[in-house]
Coordinates of all heavy atoms in Angstrom, one line a residue:
I259 N 2.8 35.2 -2.6 CA 2.1 33.9 -2.7 C 3.0 32.7 -2.9 O 2.9 31.7 -2.3 CB 0.9 34.0 -3.7 CG1 -0.2 34.9 -3.2 CG2 0.3 32.6 -3.9 CD1 -1.2 35.2 -4.2
A260 N 3.9 33.0 -3.9 CA 4.9 31.9 -4.2 C 5.8 31.6 -3.0 O 6.1 30.4 -2.8 CB 5.7 32.3 -5.4
E261 N 6.2 32.6 -2.3 CA 7.0 32.4 -1.1 C 6.3 31.7 0.0 O 6.8 30.8 0.6 CB 7.5 33.8 -0.6 CG 8.5 34.4 -1.5 CD 8.9 35.8 -1.0 OE1 8.6 36.2 0.1 OE2 9.6 36.5 -1.8
A262 N 5.0 32.0 0.1 CA 4.2 31.3 1.1 C 4.0 29.8 0.7 O 4.1 28.9 1.6 CB 2.8 31.9 1.2
Y263 N 3.9 29.5 -0.5 CA 3.8 28.1 -1.0 C 5.1 27.4 -0.7 O 5.1 26.2 -0.3 CB 3.4 28.1 -2.5 CG 3.5 26.7 -3.1 CD1 2.7 25.7 -2.7 CD2 4.5 26.5 -4.1 CE1 2.9 24.4 -3.3 CE2 4.7 25.2 -4.6 CZ 3.8 24.2 -4.2 OH 4.0 22.9 -4.8
H264 N 6.2 28.0 -1.1 CA 7.5 27.4 -0.9 C 7.7 27.1 0.6 O 8.2 26.0 1.0 CB 8.6 28.3 -1.4 CG 9.9 27.7 -1.5 ND1 11.1 28.4 -1.7 CD2 10.3 26.4 -1.5 CE1 12.1 27.6 -1.8 NE2 11.7 26.4 -1.7
Y265 N 7.3 28.0 1.5 CA 7.4 27.8 2.9 C 6.5 26.6 3.4 O 7.0 25.8 4.2 CB 6.9 29.1 3.6 CG 7.1 29.1 5.1 CD1 8.2 29.6 5.8 CD2 6.0 28.6 5.9 CE1 8.3 29.6 7.1 CE2 6.1 28.6 7.3 CZ 7.3 29.1 7.9 OH 7.4 29.1 9.3
M266 N 5.3 26.5 2.8 CA 4.4 25.4 3.2 C 5.1 24.1 2.9 O 5.1 23.1 3.6 CB 3.1 25.5 2.4 CG 2.2 26.5 2.8 SD 0.7 26.5 1.7 CE -0.1 28.0 2.1
R267 N 5.7 24.0 1.7 CA 6.3 22.7 1.2 C 7.6 22.4 2.0 O 7.7 21.2 2.4 CB 6.6 22.8 -0.3 CG 5.4 23.1 -1.1 CD 4.6 21.9 -1.4 NE 5.2 21.0 -2.4 CZ 5.6 19.8 -2.1 NH1 5.5 19.2 -1.0 NH2 6.2 19.1 -3.1
V268 N 8.5 23.3 2.2 CA 9.8 23.0 2.8 C 9.8 23.1 4.3 O 10.4 22.2 4.9 CB 10.9 24.0 2.2 CG1 12.2 23.7 2.8 CG2 10.9 23.8 0.7
V269 N 9.2 24.1 4.8 CA 9.3 24.3 6.3 C 8.2 23.6 7.0 O 8.4 22.9 8.0 CB 9.2 25.8 6.6 CG1 9.3 26.0 8.2 CG2 10.4 26.6 6.0
V270 N 6.9 23.7 6.5 CA 5.8 23.1 7.2 C 5.7 21.6 6.8 O 5.2 20.8 7.5 CB 4.5 23.8 6.9 CG1 3.3 23.3 7.7 CG2 4.6 25.3 7.2
G271 N 6.2 21.3 5.6 CA 6.2 19.9 5.2 C 4.9 19.5 4.5 O 4.5 18.3 4.6
L272 N 4.1 20.4 4.0 CA 2.8 20.0 3.3 C 3.1 19.4 1.9 O 4.0 19.7 1.3 CB 1.9 21.2 3.2 CG 1.5 22.0 4.5 CD1 0.4 23.0 4.1 CD2 1.0 21.0 5.5
T273 N 2.2 18.6 1.5 CA 2.2 18.1 0.1 C 1.5 19.2 -0.8 O 1.0 20.2 -0.3 CB 1.3 16.8 0.0 OG1 0.0 17.1 0.3 CG2 1.8 15.7 0.9
V274 N 1.7 19.0 -2.1 CA 1.0 20.0 -3.0 C -0.5 20.0 -2.8 O -1.1 21.1 -2.7 CB 1.4 19.6 -4.4 CG1 0.6 20.5 -5.4 CG2 2.9 19.7 -4.7
R275 N -1.1 18.8 -2.6 CA -2.5 18.7 -2.4 C -2.9 19.5 -1.1 O -3.9 20.2 -1.0 CB -3.0 17.3 -2.4 CG -4.5 17.1 -2.2 CD -4.9 15.7 -2.1 NE -4.7 15.0 -3.4 CZ -5.6 15.0 -4.4 NH1 -6.7 15.7 -4.2 NH2 -5.3 14.4 -5.5
E276 N -2.2 19.2 0.0 CA -2.5 19.9 1.2 C -2.3 21.4 1.1 O -3.1 22.2 1.7 CB -1.5 19.4 2.3 CG -1.9 17.9 2.7 CD -0.8 17.3 3.7 OE1 0.4 17.8 3.6 OE2 -1.1 16.4 4.4
S277 N -1.3 21.8 0.4 CA -1.1 23.3 0.1 C -2.3 23.9 -0.6 O -2.8 25.0 -0.3 CB 0.2 23.5 -0.7 OG 1.3 23.0 0.1
A278 N -2.8 23.1 -1.6 CA -4.0 23.6 -2.3 C -5.1 23.8 -1.4 O -5.9 24.8 -1.5 CB -4.3 22.6 -3.4
G279 N -5.3 22.9 -0.4 CA -6.4 23.0 0.5 C -6.2 24.3 1.4 O -7.3 24.9 1.7
V280 N -5.0 24.6 1.8 CA -4.8 25.8 2.6 C -5.2 27.0 1.8 O -5.9 27.9 2.3 CB -3.3 25.9 3.1 CG1 -3.1 27.2 3.8 CG2 -3.0 24.7 4.0
F281 N -4.7 27.1 0.6 CA -5.0 28.3 -0.2 C -6.6 28.4 -0.5 O -7.1 29.5 -0.5 CB -4.3 28.3 -1.6 CG -2.9 28.8 -1.4 CD1 -1.8 27.9 -1.4 CD2 -2.6 30.1 -1.3 CE1 -0.5 28.4 -1.3 CE2 -1.3 30.6 -1.2 CZ -0.2 29.7 -1.2
A282 N -7.2 27.2 -0.6 CA -8.7 27.2 -0.8 C -9.3 27.8 0.4 O -10.3 28.6 0.3 CB -9.2 25.8 -1.1
E283 N -8.8 27.5 1.6 CA -9.4 28.0 2.9 C -9.1 29.5 2.9 O -10.0 30.3 3.3 CB -8.8 27.3 4.1 CG -9.2 25.9 4.3 CD -8.5 25.3 5.5 OE1 -7.9 26.0 6.3 OE2 -8.6 24.0 5.7
W284 N -7.9 29.9 2.6 CA -7.6 31.3 2.6 C -8.4 32.2 1.7 O -8.7 33.4 1.9 CB -6.1 31.5 2.3 CG -5.1 31.1 3.4 CD1 -5.5 30.8 4.6 CD2 -3.7 31.1 3.3 NE1 -4.4 30.5 5.4 CE2 -3.3 30.7 4.6 CE3 -2.8 31.4 2.3 CZ2 -1.9 30.6 4.9 CZ3 -1.4 31.2 2.6 CH2 -1.0 30.8 3.9
A285 N -8.9 31.5 0.6 CA -9.7 32.3 -0.4 C -11.0 32.7 0.2 O -11.7 33.6 -0.3 CB -10.0 31.4 -1.6
G286 N -11.4 32.1 1.4 CA -12.6 32.5 2.0 C -12.3 33.4 3.3 O -13.2 33.6 4.1
S287 N -11.1 33.9 3.4 CA -10.7 34.7 4.6 C -10.4 36.1 4.1 O -10.7 36.5 3.1 CB -9.5 34.0 5.2 OG -8.3 34.2 4.4
R288 N -9.7 36.8 5.0 CA -9.2 38.2 4.7 C -8.3 38.2 3.6 O -8.0 39.2 3.0 CB -8.6 38.8 5.9 CG -7.4 38.0 6.4 CD -6.8 38.6 7.7 NE -5.7 37.7 8.2 CZ -4.9 38.1 9.2 NH1 -5.1 39.2 9.8 NH2 -4.0 37.2 9.7

């Protein structure tokens, strides 16, 4: 999970708030 977050921030370029939104979406997925 930490690696996925790091990837979001550095590679995808998401903000912390945007990353929080992605994880919130994933919490309703597989």
